[in-house]
């Protein structure tokens, strides 16, 4: 029996691994699970903590249920056994009342991963019968409330919000949002969709990835139902949200139907919202006429949030999950992970998971240890903001004061040292460094660097301070 149980779980893991895009996440969330027993079609998994259980239920239940159903059939059940906290009991044999959750997949979990595509509104509805209930495919977690506003996303966010208040009636049609991966495009799309539905419950909103759209189109061609497919989009949808349109590159048939659908929705004042990882000008593999449509409305980009916004993003997530974390750890994560919000979230989650598995408090040391392993070397480069933060911490002055126009001696010194170290440790140009150090020009930065060099040669205390700061930065 026990062997069967292990084998079943091994097979599940293989399936899950194939279906989780990010292998690091697979390692984090599935490796620590243990198959405890298999009774009939009920599999019991041991999870390291309550947090684990909640996280898996919230984020991975689809793929997990698909895997288990594949192994154990449609009536499969899943039970979790949660390892107890040390504080409560260190006994590793768990009484059965620790089994805290039962999922009957037959009732409330999608059958398999294809279900996502099949859950989609059936395009084969009879034209003329309006307001079939369409599944909007919106994720409640990706709301405006959970989307932190910053300079990095100001235009896209406010345009998106405006569109949701007045779909099809603003100049932003289509609203085209672009930016590289993990910067919040998908989140923003869902937020716009959710807000629209909140304001206008009668409107039919549909979020669809370009890939799903493509798949539907291919199916309709195969099944000879192209007209139904077209009519569904042209007649049923009030707000069409298509994610990652770069996927249409070199798919001429799909571009053709998209073009038709775009034209008829636009002409009927229906709202289109589209994202891509590139700006319209840089999109390759798309027909010119399609690109020209994308430029009709407003094109807004998403940038990587600055350090302050990254801190807020972390705080928002922690607040939402009811988790507290020392301020220095939050800042450490925010300053060190500057590749994408997704990476930032991934690091945060891994950190929480690690502390949960090890039943250890989240400390700066734990964070440093994890980040070293987590962050790829190219993203670990030192940023100007990080340097400023370390310098200001050292002199115990607020960063804002350093960035202000103050000419007070010690503030000027801190500013000069920040510029000097930014020049030494980042690839940034003098102009960029000046810009980020209180809007100074490149000549000021040069002057600051010379002045630091001079002080180093003549002032021993100054030199020691500088070395101490530099050590902190490069540690
Ligand atoms: P993209 O579609 O651009 O690749 P996502 O929308 O999937 O990026 O965002 C990646 C993760 O980062 C998501 O979990 C999202 O919630 C989060 N995220 C991105 N931007 C923000 C933001 N401004 N505020 C809060 N969370 C954000
Ligand atoms: Mg996305």
């Amino acid at each position: 029996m026990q062997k069967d149980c292990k084998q079943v779980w091994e097979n599940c893991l293989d399936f899950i691994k194939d279906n989780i895009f990010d292998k690091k996440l697979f390692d984090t969330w599935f490796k620590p699970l243990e198959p405890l027993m298999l009774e009939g079609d009920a599999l019991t998994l041991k999870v390291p903590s309550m947090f684990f259980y909640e996280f898996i239920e919230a984020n991975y239940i689809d793929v997990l249920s698909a895997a288990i159903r594949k192994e154990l059939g449609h009536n499969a059940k899943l039970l979790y056994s949660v390892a107890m906290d040390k504080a409560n009991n260190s006994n590793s044999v768990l009484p059965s009342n620790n089994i805290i959750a039962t999922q009957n997949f037959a009732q409330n979990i999608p059958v398999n991963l294809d279900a996502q595509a099949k859950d989609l509104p059936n395009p084969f509805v009879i034209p003329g019968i309006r307001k079939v209930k369409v599944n909007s495919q919106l994720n409640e977690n990706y709301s405006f409330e959970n989307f932190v506003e910053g300079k990095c996303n100001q235009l896209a966010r406010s345009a998106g919000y405006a569109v949701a208040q007045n779909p099809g009636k603003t100049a932003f049609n289509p609203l085209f949002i672009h930016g590289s991966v993990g910067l919040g495009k998908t989140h923003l799309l869902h937020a716009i969709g959710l807000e629209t539905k909140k304001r206008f419950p009668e409107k039919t909103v549909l979020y669809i990835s370009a890939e799903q759209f493509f798949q539907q189109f291919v199916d309709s061609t195969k099944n000879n139902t192209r007209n139904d497919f077209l009519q569904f989009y042209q007649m049923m949808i009030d707000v069409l949200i298509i994610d990652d349109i770069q996927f249409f590159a070199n798919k001429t048939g799909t571009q053709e139907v998209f073009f038709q659908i775009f034209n008829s929705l636009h002409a009927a004042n229906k709202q289109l919202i589209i994202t891509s990882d590139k700006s319209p000008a840089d999109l390759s593999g798309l027909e010119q006429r399609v690109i020209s449509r994308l430029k009709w409305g407003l094109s807004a980009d998403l940038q990587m949030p600055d350090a302050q916004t990254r801190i807020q993003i972390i705080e928002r997530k922690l607040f939402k999950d009811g988790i507290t974390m020392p301020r220095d750890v939050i800042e450490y994560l925010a300053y060190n992970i500057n590749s994408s919000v997704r990476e930032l979230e991934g690091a945060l989650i891994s950190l929480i998971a690690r502390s949960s598995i090890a039943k250890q408090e989240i400390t700066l040391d734990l964070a440093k240890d994890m980040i070293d392993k987590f962050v790829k070397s190219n993203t670990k480069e030192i940023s100007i903001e990080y340097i400023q933060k370390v310098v200001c911490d050292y002199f115990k002055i607020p960063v804002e004061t350093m960035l202000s126009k103050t000419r007070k001696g010690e503030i000027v010194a801190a500013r000069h040292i920040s510029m000097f170290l930014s020049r030494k440790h980042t690839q940034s140009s003098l102009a960029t460094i000046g810009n980020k150090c209180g809007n100074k020009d490149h000549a000021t930065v040069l002057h600051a660097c010379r002045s630091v060099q001079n002080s180093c040669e003549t002032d021993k205390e100054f030199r020691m301070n500088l070395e101490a700061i530099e050590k902190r930065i490069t540690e």
Side-chain angles (χ1 to χ4, degrees):
M1 184 60 113
Q2 194 57 25
K3 190 166 172 283
D4 276 342
C5 169
K6 284 218 174 88
Q7 191 55 53
V8 163
W9 182 237
E10 288 291 312
N11 296 347
C12 288
L13 284 180
D14 285 344
F15 176 86
I16 292 167
K17 199 170 188 173
D18 281 346
N19 284 285
I20 287 195
F21 181 62
D22 190 335
K23 296 298 170 233
K24 271 186 298 207
L25 293 178
F26 174 82
D27 289 347
T28 304
W29 295 107
F30 289 96
K31 284 246 177 97
L33 305 189
E34 279 172 48
L36 268 191
M37 62 177 156
L38 179 63
E39 279 182 323
D41 49 14
L43 175 68
T44 305
L45 290 179
K46 184 172 165 193
V47 293
S49 68
M50 229 8 225
F51 173 77
F52 243 84
Y53 151 71
E54 285 171 7
F55 193 88
I56 289 170
E57 279 285 293
N59 295 282
Y60 293 117
I61 193 62
D62 283 355
V63 65
L64 182 57
S65 62
I68 294 174
R69 291 201 73 178
K70 195 163 154 285
E71 287 304 308
L72 300 175
H74 283 252
N75 293 322
K77 292 177 192 64
L78 169 63
L79 300 112
Y80 300 93
S81 168
V82 181
M84 291 182 193
D85 284 340
K86 262 199 201 124
N88 297 332
N89 192 336
S90 54
N91 198 344
S92 61
V93 183
L94 299 165
S96 63
N97 61 5
N98 273 316
I99 294 171
I100 52 150
T102 310
Q103 291 285 353
N104 185 340
F105 296 139
Q107 278 165 18
N108 50 16
I109 309 288
V111 179
N112 58 38
L113 290 175
D114 294 346
Q116 215 190 0
K118 299 210 178 86
D119 264 359
L120 279 182
N122 180 357
F124 317 128
V125 287
I126 305 158
I129 302 181
R130 264 206 68 83
K131 298 300 163 206
V132 213
K133 193 132 177 57
V134 168
N135 172 2
S136 294
Q137 305 207 99
L138 293 169
N139 177 345
E140 299 283 337
N141 285 322
Y142 284 165
S143 60
F144 271 118
E145 289 80 56
N146 292 337
F147 191 77
V148 175
E149 193 174 354
K151 252 211 311 241
C152 54
N153 59 37
Q154 220 153 36
L155 177 62
R157 189 200 168 281
S158 53
Y161 194 79
V163 159
Q165 306 306 312
N166 227 342
K169 306 226 164 55
T170 66
F172 314 147
N173 200 14
L175 174 59
F176 185 84
I177 299 167
H178 61 96
S180 52
V181 296
L183 294 186
K185 299 183 295 295
T186 299
H187 186 143
L188 193 52
L189 285 184
H190 284 269
I192 299 169
L194 291 168
E195 181 69 22
T196 310
K197 283 193 62 158
K198 199 157 87 188
R199 299 266 316 179
F200 306 96
E202 77 288 358
K203 287 205 189 293
T204 303
V205 177
L206 176 64
Y207 166 92
I208 189 162
S209 69
E211 193 175 347
Q212 285 178 321
F213 182 91
F214 162 76
Q215 199 54 53
Q216 286 185 342
F217 169 66
V218 170
D219 287 348
S220 79
T221 309
K222 211 163 57 198
N223 303 333
N224 240 334
T225 50
R226 171 93 60 96
N227 281 343
D228 297 338
F229 170 80
L230 269 173
Q231 273 175 349
F232 168 75
Y233 278 96
Q234 292 173 332
M235 300 176 65
M236 295 290 160
I237 306 297
D238 297 311
V239 177
L240 179 60
I241 304 174
I242 302 190
D243 202 0
D244 287 324
I245 202 169
Q246 72 276 1
F247 186 83
F248 287 171
N250 306 319
K251 300 185 171 66
T252 44
T254 313
Q255 289 184 40
E256 167 74 39
V257 288
F258 169 73
F259 185 73
Q260 282 183 44
I261 290 167
F262 184 103
N263 286 342
S264 67
L265 288 181
H266 196 275
N269 286 328
K270 301 297 167 73
Q271 181 71 43
L272 293 120
I273 309 158
I274 291 157
T275 67
S276 144
D277 63 355
K278 297 191 192 63
S279 72
D282 295 331
L283 266 172
S284 56
L286 253 59
E287 286 175 41
Q288 215 41 53
R289 56 179 186 160
V290 172
I291 292 179
S292 97
R293 292 299 182 278
L294 299 179
K295 291 182 186 163
W296 272 3
L298 176 77
S299 167
D301 69 340
L302 294 178
Q303 300 279 345
M304 181 61 192
D306 59 21
Q308 215 47 47
T309 312
R310 297 204 288 273
I311 290 177
Q312 282 178 31
I313 290 176
I314 297 177
E315 286 174 337
R316 183 79 56 98
K317 305 262 174 229
L318 292 174
F319 178 75
K320 206 172 124 247
D321 293 336
I323 295 170
T324 52
M325 200 178 265
R327 178 74 189 180
D328 56 350
V329 177
I330 297 178
E331 287 178 354
Y332 187 79
L333 289 176
Y335 283 107
N336 281 281
I337 300 183
N338 50 17
S339 47
S340 80
V341 183
R342 184 170 299 148
E343 289 266 333
L344 187 64
E345 272 189 352
L348 181 66
I349 290 167
S350 291
L351 182 60
I352 296 169
R354 257 176 152 242
S355 92
S356 167
I357 295 170
K359 307 237 185 296
Q360 199 183 335
E361 262 182 54
I362 297 172
T363 59
L364 191 56
D365 283 342
L366 188 68
K368 281 183 177 165
D369 186 43
M370 193 220 52
I371 295 260
D372 278 348
K373 299 197 179 89
F374 190 90
V375 180
K376 292 176 225 107
S377 52
N378 64 349
T379 60
K380 226 170 39 180
E381 69 189 40
I382 298 167
S383 68
I384 298 176
E385 285 104 342
Y386 182 64
I387 292 172
Q388 292 175 344
K389 163 93 179 103
V390 174
V391 172
C392 290
D393 277 358
Y394 187 87
F395 290 114
K396 301 200 171 46
I397 54 173
V399 177
E400 300 79 60
T401 312
M402 190 199 72
L403 298 180
S404 71
K405 296 221 177 315
T406 310
R407 295 195 150 276
K408 266 170 117 180
E410 79 253 27
I411 309 271
V412 172
R415 195 182 296 138
H416 283 181
I417 290 176
S418 294
M419 292 181 183
F420 174 82
L421 292 175
S422 298
R423 188 166 184 218
K424 188 164 165 193
H425 291 285
T426 75
Q427 306 285 328
S428 307
S429 66
L430 292 172
T432 307
I433 295 171
N435 195 300
K436 290 196 175 178
C437 283
N439 256 331
K440 303 282 190 286
D441 62 14
H442 80 283
T444 311
V445 180
L446 262 186
H447 166 75
C449 294
R450 273 192 218 115
S451 143
V452 169
Q453 209 111 41
N454 280 340
S455 304
C456 263
E457 282 157 23
T458 53
D459 182 342
K460 192 163 163 226
E461 195 188 328
F462 183 93
R463 191 174 62 237
M464 278 163 57
N465 281 332
L466 182 70
E467 281 167 5
I469 295 171
E470 201 165 9
K471 189 153 166 268
R472 282 194 196 173
I473 287 172
T474 51
E475 214 172 34

